[in-house]
Amino acid sequence: MSVHRSNLNPLLAAVTAALCFGGGARAADARLDEMFEALRNAPAPEAARLGEDIRLRLSNSGSPAMNLLLKRGRDAMAAGDAYLAIELLGALTDHAPEFAEGWHARSVAYARAGLMGPALDDLERSLALDPRNFLAIYSLGALLEEVGQPVLAAEAYRQVATIHPHFDDAGHALERLNAETRGTDL
């Protein structure tokens, strides 16, 4: 599916605002706050463990049924069936609209199906609910690259590095973008 630049401008502005200004309706979770603080200052080996612990915590909706939908949606993506994943993860977002990781996972499925507009919409919703989810921000960077927005993509990757300084994928993405755009302002 082709995405027209004129259709993306308002969406990109909204996503950028969510990324830059954060906020969000994320429920207070003192332990998660502590984990994010520790992640920011942890040495690389500990940061990898903390990042995985945070990812697991963010993937827990608190409902076994919703967790099962998330797992089945991810399994469908792993099997290469993005459309089944979209269907399963759509049920998840319908039944658990405050679960940020459901929106993030469905955005990945949309992107794999080539549906960049809906993918960006879901990432906007995910980041409005939880602006610290470094994996969702990384996904945003990848999508922004895909739709030809390297400046915004670089900003997303820099935000990831602020939250998780040892997230190698963000560092590699920034290096690649810098090499590709040498001589232009990012």
Side-chain angles (χ1 to χ4, degrees):
M1 174 179 187
S2 168
V3 178
H4 297 292
R5 186 173 300 277
S6 63
N7 294 339
L8 281 177
N9 289 338
L11 178 61
L12 291 174
V15 169
T16 302
L19 177 64
C20 293
F21 301 113
R26 183 183 54 83
D29 183 337
R31 177 64 186 131
L32 193 56
D33 292 342
E34 292 170 6
M35 293 169 73
F36 273 109
E37 183 62 33
L39 179 63
R40 196 176 357 254
N41 302 307
E46 186 180 340
R49 181 191 55 77
L50 275 167
E52 180 61 13
D53 289 349
I54 290 169
R55 185 194 68 77
L56 290 172
R57 192 173 195 102
L58 295 176
S59 291
N60 184 355
S61 71
S63 163
M66 297 306 104
N67 291 345
L68 182 60
L69 280 172
L70 179 62
K71 181 188 179 323
R72 287 190 175 162
R74 287 177 171 165
D75 289 348
M77 278 191 282
D81 193 342
Y83 291 100
L84 176 59
I86 291 167
E87 186 177 324
L88 291 164
L89 296 166
L92 173 58
T93 58
D94 287 347
H95 294 290
E98 299 302 312
F99 181 44
E101 189 56 25
W103 296 100
H104 173 223
R106 191 172 74 169
S107 77
V108 173
Y110 275 134
R112 289 188 182 169
L115 302 169
M116 299 309 179
L120 284 167
D121 285 342
D122 278 7
L123 274 173
E124 179 183 13
R125 182 77 178 261
S126 177
L127 290 170
L129 292 166
D130 187 355
R132 299 182 300 185
N133 184 338
F134 55 88
L135 293 169
I137 299 169
Y138 181 83
S139 294
L140 175 61
L143 279 174
L144 290 169
E145 275 192 84
E146 184 71 24
V147 298
Q149 298 291 324
V151 173
L152 293 174
E155 179 57 34
Y157 296 139
R158 281 192 286 278
Q159 183 68 25
V160 170
T162 299
I163 296 167
H164 187 338
H166 297 287
F167 191 70
D168 290 339
D169 291 349
H172 296 311
L174 277 170
E175 288 173 11
R176 182 178 32 72
L177 276 176
N178 286 333
E180 290 174 6
T181 59
R182 199 138 337 268
T184 64
D185 288 334
L186 273 186

